[in-house]
Amino acid sequence: MKRIHNVGKIDRIIRVLIAIVIAALYYTGILESEAFLFLAVLLAMTSLNRCCPIYSLLGFGTCGIEVDKSEKKIKTKELKLK
């Protein structure tokens, strides 16, 4: 199965930094809800996998994909779900 990457390098770095900050705030007690910890794990996982499901559903990405200026749409690879 071919992996689709739609998260670019800068986006990955930002996701990891936000995940670290959220996790640190959770463990210091500033953020008390486990939802924040889940968000931090989710951001870290999408960064490591280089694939964001929300980007796939919306049909765009940040990994240097081509933009067709005549159609003003971002060309992405087709996501095949089984």
Side-chain angles (χ1 to χ4, degrees):
M1 184 172 146
K2 186 175 181 182
R3 297 185 92 189
I4 297 176
H5 302 295
N6 59 8
V7 178
K9 184 177 181 180
I10 295 173
D11 194 0
R12 290 175 65 198
I13 292 169
I14 292 170
R15 286 171 184 262
V16 167
L17 291 175
I18 292 172
I20 291 170
V21 169
I22 291 172
L25 291 174
Y26 175 78
Y27 285 115
T28 58
I30 296 172
L31 299 175
E32 296 178 359
S33 176
E34 287 82 16
F36 290 110
L37 187 59
F38 176 75
L39 178 63
V41 170
L42 183 66
L43 287 171
M45 287 178 57
T46 57
S47 176
L48 293 173
N49 288 332
R50 295 185 290 180
C51 182
C52 178
I54 295 174
Y55 284 1
S56 295
L57 289 174
L58 297 176
F60 68 92
T62 59
C63 62
I65 52 180
E66 297 179 16
V67 176
D68 187 0
K69 293 181 182 179
S70 64
E71 295 182 20
K72 295 185 179 180
K73 292 183 180 178
I74 299 173
K75 291 184 178 179
T76 58
K77 296 181 182 179
E78 182 180 352
L79 180 63
K80 296 180 182 179
L81 299 173
K82 290 186 178 184

